[in-house]
Structures are given as C-alpha cells and as structure tokens.
Amino acid sequence: MKKIILMLMFILGTFAFSEITTSEVQSFFSSKAQIYVSNQKDWFCIEVPGTDETECRKFNYLVNVVPVGNKYRISYTPIDNVKSYDREKYPILSYKIGKKYYVNSRKNQDTPVTDSYDITVDYVISAGTEIKKGKKYERTDFQMLSESELNALLKSKSAKRLNSETEKNTKAYLDWLFHNNN
C-alpha cells in the first residue's frame, strides 16, 4: 500500500510541478489568446551564453493571456530596442508581410515581420520574473489568475490590449519566431 501511495504522489508531483510544456506555450498563439502591451518596463532574466549565470535587466514587454476554464494563464514577451513610442509611452508595434522560412514545410511563406522592436528568441513566451527576498528569479511555471486578479495585474502593469490587426500579426510573428528559430 505504501508503494502505491508513493507512486501516486510521484505521478501527481510530476504534473503539479512540471516545467513549462510545449502545449502551454502553443496556447499563447491560439485564436482565443489575447495580447496586451505595457508602457512600463519590468525585470526579465536571461541566461548569459556559455555560462551558468543569468543577467537581469528591464525590458518593455507584452502580456499574453489565454483563458483556461474560469482562470487565465499569463505569460510575458520581453521586447527590446523599441524604435518608437506613442504619446502615452506605449511601444508602437508595426508589421509588414515578408517571406520567411518555415522548418516544418521547408518553404518560404508570407509572414508578418517587424523591425519596430527586437525579441530575444529564447524568451518569445516567458513565465516572467518574480522577486523574492530582494532577489530576482525566473518563474518555472505560468501564472494562473482569476478574472479579478487578471484585471488587477493588467491595471498594475498599465497594459492595454492590442487592436485586432496588430494582435493577429503579433501572434503570427511570435509563433514563427518560436517554431522556426529554436
């Protein structure tokens, strides 16, 4: 009986404390996903290539929201080298259609691309950073929030939803980056 209980605890623990899965990441490119942009900068930690160290610095960012039942899964996309801002200090995200190579089809296809900002490819969809006892840590899982918690988060981050065309282009661009540059 003890073996069965231990086995069940192991299986449940595996699901409860698992790393970010590919299906979770892909849900942020789905039609039900919503993308917000913040006019603030926040901390994001990135690994320093060739070392075991991380470097944390402030970036502009997108807030990606996916409904999951009666909760919302949240991720962030840090954006860098923003070319221009509107009068309220939100990054201006502009896209044009370009031919981009797709690994799965092995073809060049029309894809929204941008030169209005840069994204570190490893952090297209990030769980974000949290601060504990004065130290910055990369989250190991996405935040899951109720509707009221989501509204409070978006308000605290001064985030506004992208218009439908920009949101569609942003999803397509992030999806291409994630699936063709990893």
Side-chain angles (χ1 to χ4, degrees), residues 101-107 179-180:
Y101 180 77
Y102 282 74
V103 173
N104 289 346
S105 67
R106 296 186 178 160
K107 294 180 181 177
H179 288 98
N180 295 283

Side-chain angles (χ1 to χ4, degrees), residues 131-148:
I131 300 174
K132 293 181 187 173
K133 297 181 182 177
K135 290 191 175 189
K136 297 167 197 74
Y137 296 93
E138 185 82 19
R139 283 191 185 94
T140 57
D141 212 352
F142 296 115
Q143 292 172 286
M144 289 292 287
L145 304 175
S146 68
E147 186 173 356
S148 62

Side-chain angles (χ1 to χ4, degrees), residues 88-111:
E88 296 173 320
K89 305 289 186 220
Y90 287 95
I92 296 174
L93 310 177
S94 61
Y95 297 89
K96 60 185 177 189
I97 301 298
K99 291 283 187 191
K100 288 292 186 183
Y101 180 77
Y102 282 74
V103 173
N104 289 346
S105 67
R106 296 186 178 160
K107 294 180 181 177
N108 286 325
Q109 295 174 292
D110 288 342
T111 303

Side-chain angles (χ1 to χ4, degrees), residues 13 24 29 42 62-63 68 97 107 121 140 144 160 167:
E24 283 179 315
F29 308 124
D42 208 345
L62 304 172
V63 180
V68 179
I97 301 298
K107 294 180 181 177
V121 175
T140 57
M144 289 292 287
K160 69 176 184 178
E167 186 175 75

Side-chain angles (χ1 to χ4, degrees), residues 5-18:
I5 292 172
L6 279 170
M7 183 83 99
L8 285 173
M9 287 177 56
F10 174 74
I11 291 169
L12 290 173
T14 302
F15 289 113
F17 300 107
S18 65

Side-chain angles (χ1 to χ4, degrees), residues 18-26 141-142 178:
S18 65
E19 291 291 317
I20 298 168
T21 66
T22 303
S23 64
E24 283 179 315
V25 171
Q26 288 185 292
D141 212 352
F142 296 115
F178 181 77

Side-chain angles (χ1 to χ4, degrees), residues 22-64:
T22 303
S23 64
E24 283 179 315
V25 171
Q26 288 185 292
S27 70
F28 291 108
F29 308 124
S30 71
S31 60
K32 60 184 179 177
Q34 302 170 355
I35 301 178
Y36 296 79
V37 64
S38 176
N39 65 357
Q40 301 174 1
K41 290 188 176 189
D42 208 345
W43 290 103
F44 290 90
C45 299
I46 58 174
E47 294 175 13
V48 178
T51 71
D52 291 336
E53 297 177 19
T54 57
E55 172 189 332
C56 298
R57 65 183 187 113
K58 287 190 169 191
F59 288 93
N60 288 106
Y61 58 95
L62 304 172
V63 180
N64 311 291

